[in-house]
Amino acid sequence: MSASAPIIKIDSISKSFGSFKVLDGLSMQVMPGEKLALIGPSGSGKTTILRILMTLERIDGGHIQIDGEQLYHMERNGQLLPADERHLTRMRQKIGMVFQLFNLFPHKCVMDNVTLAPMLTKGTPRAAAEKRAMELLEMVGMADKAKNMPAQLSGGQKQRVAIARALALSPKIMLFDEVTSALDPELVEEVMNVMRKLAAETDMTMLLVTHEMGFAHDFADRVLFFDRGRIVEEGKPDEIFRNPKQERTQGFLKKIIAAGHRV
Ligand SMILES: Nc1ncnc2c1ncn2[C@@H]1O[C@H](COP(=O)(O)OP(=O)(O)OP(=O)(O)O)[C@@H](O)[C@H]1O
Ligand SMILES: [Mg+2]
C-alpha cells in the first residue's frame, strides 16, 4: 500500500438503533499516522463510530476499509461477501481501543494486565512480553507499580495502565473514547500528558473522542466536528477552534466555553 493511501476509509456507512438512525451515509478517511480528534455534542455518534471500527457494533450499510482491506466484507473472486468471524478476528488485531471506564482485569497485577493479551493472542513468549510491557509502563510512568493490583491504583494510574495494555498488542490504529472523563479533575492532566507524548512520539494512527477542547487542540493534526452523525466541519485544530466557519461549530464551542472548558 502506498504511503498516500488512507489507513481508514469509511464509505457511506449507515447505522440505526431500532428506528433511530445514528449514521446516515457517513464517509471519512484517515491517513496513516494521522492524529484525529472527533468532537461534537452528546449523542452525535462519536462513540458509535469508534465501536463500529472495533466491530463492537455492526453497520447496516456501506463499506469500511482498514489498512487496504475490507473490515466487514471479504473479497472472494472479485465479489464482496459478508466477513466471517475469522476475518473479523484478524482485522481486529489492527485496532486497539481505550475506553472511558478502565476495564483492567481486577485479579491480575499491572504487569499481567499488559502481558496477557500478547501472550495469549500472539503467542509472545513471557520474557519478551514482559520486556515490552516494562518499556510501555515506563512510557506511561507506571513501571514502579508493575506488581500492584488494579484496586491499589488511582483512576489516572489505571487509565495509564489501560493505555499501556492496548499498546502492547502493537495495533496500527488506536482509538481513545473520552479516556479522561471518568477521572477526578486532578488526575486528568497526568493522563493527557501521557497521550500528548504518545501522539508526538509514535507514528501510530490515532482517533480521539474528547470533550476537552484544549486537549483535542494539542493532540490532533485534524479535528472533525460531528453533529447528528454528520461531519459539519473539519480542519486543522487552529482553524476549528480559533476560526470555526459553520454556525453549528461556533454554537457548540460557545456552549463548551460557557460550561467552563478551556478552548
Ligand atoms: N446500543 C444502543 N442502543 C440504542 N441506542 C444507542 C445505542 N448506542 C448509542 N445509541 C444512541 O445513538 C446515538 C449516538 O450515540 P453515541 O454514543 O455514539 O454518541 P456520542 O457522540 O458518543 O455521545 P457522548 O458525547 O454523550 O458520548 C445516541 O442518541 C444514543 O442514544
Ligand atoms: Mg460517546
Side-chain angles (χ1 to χ4, degrees):
M1 200 173 79
S2 83
S4 59
I7 190 162
I8 301 175
K9 195 163 178 284
I10 294 178
D11 246 335
S12 200
I13 59 168
S14 53
K15 172 72 187 173
S16 296
F17 291 111
S19 61
F20 180 68
K21 213 160 199 177
V22 183
L23 304 175
D24 188 10
L26 174 76
S27 297
M28 60 182 263
Q29 300 191 354
V30 186
M31 299 306 285
E34 217 180 356
K35 314 292 183 278
L36 197 69
L38 276 53
I39 62 167
S42 186
S44 56
K46 307 177 298 294
T47 295
T48 302
I49 294 167
L50 297 196
R51 288 177 57 82
I52 285 172
L53 290 172
M54 281 298 283
T55 69
L56 295 170
E57 299 284 355
R58 300 305 161 91
I59 49 177
D60 303 327
H63 293 88
I64 299 178
Q65 265 186 33
I66 302 285
D67 198 21
E69 282 185 90
Q70 291 287 332
L71 178 59
Y72 285 107
H73 300 83
M74 305 183 297
E75 294 181 47
R76 293 281 182 279
N77 307 322
Q79 277 197 317
L80 284 184
L81 306 175
D84 59 18
E85 204 43 50
R86 214 172 125 202
H87 177 85
L88 290 173
T89 301
R90 190 169 60 77
M91 293 301 287
R92 277 181 200 127
Q93 298 186 359
K94 296 173 189 276
I95 309 185
M97 183 162 181
V98 182
F99 299 89
Q100 177 177 2
L101 291 171
F102 343 105
N103 43 358
L104 298 178
F105 308 120
H107 305 299
K108 303 273 179 199
C109 71
V110 165
M111 174 57 84
D112 289 349
N113 260 281
V114 180
T115 55
L116 213 57
M119 287 169 57
L120 290 181
T121 66
K122 290 192 160 175
T124 310
R126 178 178 293 276
E130 291 191 349
K131 182 167 176 289
R132 175 79 180 127
M134 272 320 273
E135 289 168 10
L136 292 168
L137 289 172
E138 205 73 66
M139 193 195 66
V140 300
M142 290 297 294
D144 59 331
K145 299 270 196 275
K147 292 278 171 256
N148 280 40
M149 300 301 282
Q152 301 169 315
L153 304 178
S154 74
Q157 291 172 335
K158 279 185 211 165
Q159 202 58 319
R160 285 186 280 147
V161 173
I163 292 169
R165 188 177 63 171
L167 291 172
L169 283 165
S170 305
K172 292 192 167 187
I173 300 165
M174 278 282 286
L175 312 176
F176 300 96
D177 193 3
E178 302 203 34
V179 289
T180 60
S181 64
L183 299 177
D184 292 333
E186 70 272 20
L187 302 177
V188 166
E189 199 57 34
E190 67 182 47
V191 174
M192 284 187 186
N193 283 338
V194 163
M195 301 270 301
R196 286 191 190 99
K197 193 168 93 178
L198 194 61
E201 287 177 6
T202 80
D203 55 9
M204 216 179 271
T205 308
M206 297 185 178
L207 273 64
L208 172 81
V209 171
T210 184
H211 286 282
E212 304 271 355
M213 297 303 127
F215 179 40
H217 183 282
D218 298 344
F219 177 92
D221 307 318
R222 184 158 62 103
V223 179
L224 299 187
F225 172 65
F226 278 90
D227 195 10
R228 287 173 227 153
R230 292 174 186 276
I231 301 168
V232 173
E233 186 165 356
E234 66 173 290
K236 291 193 187 309
D238 268 341
E239 293 168 358
I240 299 294
F241 293 123
R242 309 274 178 243
N243 190 21
K245 298 203 170 42
Q246 301 295 325
E247 231 169 83
R248 268 193 279 169
T249 320
Q250 293 163 358
F252 171 73
L253 291 174
K254 255 192 207 135
K255 262 193 217 147
I256 290 262
I257 293 169
H261 290 273
R262 184 172 68 91
V263 175

